[in-house]
Amino acid sequence: MKKLIATLLLIGSIATLSHGQTRIPPNVQKLLQKNTCLACHNADKRLVGPAYKEVMKKKKYKADEIVALIYKPNPKNWPGYPPMAPMSQVPKNEAAIIAKWIASLK
Ligand code: HEC
């Protein structure tokens, strides 16, 4: 019985990993919220802007390229979306933390 429960738990966690929502680390979540990224972006789903996972699937950016795009978006990369406004108010260190997390998504 214990073994069965353990097996079911294992299957459950694998299913969550492959179909569940991306877990955003709390420090990153806080910065995404503070800098209003979450108004237009979700890690997994298209909102106003592309899902962060979609961004990485299509573009495979390095973290410093993402930092540059936060300050100077390139709407040509995303036909079918409205242009993202440049977000010059985002502090450099916060942009770096956000970008590192986005770059880590698969
Ligand atoms: C008002 C809506 C809005 C907000 C706020 C916003 N974005 Fe975007 N973002 C978009 C849209 C729309 C696109 C696709 C069009 C474009 O790139 O201009 C996009 C594209 C992107 C891309 C892909 C860039 C590329 O050229 O491939 C990244 C990365 C990104 N956003 C990150 C962020 C981060 C990080 C924040 C917060 C600091 C943020 N966005 C805030 C709407 C938004």
Side-chain angles (χ1 to χ4, degrees), residues 1-14:
M1 188 62 184
K2 262 204 183 132
K3 216 173 186 177
L4 177 66
I5 291 171
T7 310
L8 288 176
L9 282 177
L10 184 67
I11 293 170
S13 49
I14 292 170

Side-chain angles (χ1 to χ4, degrees), residues 36-37 40-41 48 50 52 61 69-70 75 77-78 82 84 87 98:
T36 70
C37 313
C40 298
H41 291 281
V48 180
Y52 288 140
Y61 292 124
L69 284 165
I70 292 173
N77 288 337
W78 295 94
M84 173 170 146
M87 308 218 26
I98 293 171

